[in-house]
Amino acid sequence: QVHIVESGGGLVKAGGSLTVSCAASGTFDTIVAMGWYRQTPGKQRDLVAKIVRDGSLYYADSVKGRFTISRDNTWNTVYLQMNSLIPEDTAVYYCSADIFHDRRLNTYWGQGTQVTVSS
């Protein structure tokens, strides 16, 4: 069983910074990639940033230059450093982990953490 747990969301003023963390735990072979998505009411969940085991990084255009995704050496924890936050960044942020186990690749999700940016 795999558990994905986010932490670090909260309320911040526009222009401020916030870091959210995501930890993967449980029984599995390899984390192939981890990413952050965000969703606002009535809209689809969009990819914000992703880090792949081969070192590849992906950022949505709307966050390039402001957000940084990183991981720890164990590859079980990923961080999203968010700088120069704007009200449009307000959303529930979800962590995802693409995990290879028992010859299958599955995507697991956390429960989400609310990030609110006030103007």
Side-chain angles (χ1 to χ4, degrees):
Q1 195 169 0
V2 178
H3 299 279
I4 308 296
V5 179
E6 303 104 333
S7 61
L11 174 65
V12 63
K13 291 184 178 180
S17 299
L18 196 65
T19 298
V20 289
S21 304
C22 171
S25 63
T27 302
F28 51 83
D29 294 331
T30 305
I31 295 177
V32 175
M34 293 185 78
W36 286 96
Y37 291 71
R38 65 187 181 187
Q39 188 173 25
T40 54
K43 295 190 175 181
Q44 68 179 19
R45 190 174 297 184
D46 293 324
L47 178 62
V48 175
K50 194 165 191 175
I51 184 167
V52 185
R53 200 170 189 92
D54 65 1
S56 302
L57 300 175
Y58 170 84
Y59 293 98
D61 288 341
S62 59
V63 306
K64 282 181 181 176
R66 301 189 297 121
F67 290 13
T68 302
I69 190 169
S70 61
R71 59 168 181 83
D72 71 351
N73 289 335
T74 69
W75 248 105
N76 285 5
T77 302
V78 66
Y79 308 94
L80 185 67
Q81 171 71 41
M82 302 181 286
N83 298 325
S84 302
L85 284 161
I86 59 178
E88 289 74 19
D89 294 320
T90 295
V92 178
Y93 283 70
Y94 294 92
C95 177
S96 73
D98 300 329
I99 294 177
F100 188 79
H101 179 66
D102 197 21
R103 293 182 292 181
R104 290 184 178 182
L105 183 65
N106 292 307
T107 298
Y108 297 87
W109 295 91
Q111 79 287 352
T113 185
Q114 177 71 46
V115 173
T116 302
V117 183
S118 63
S119 58

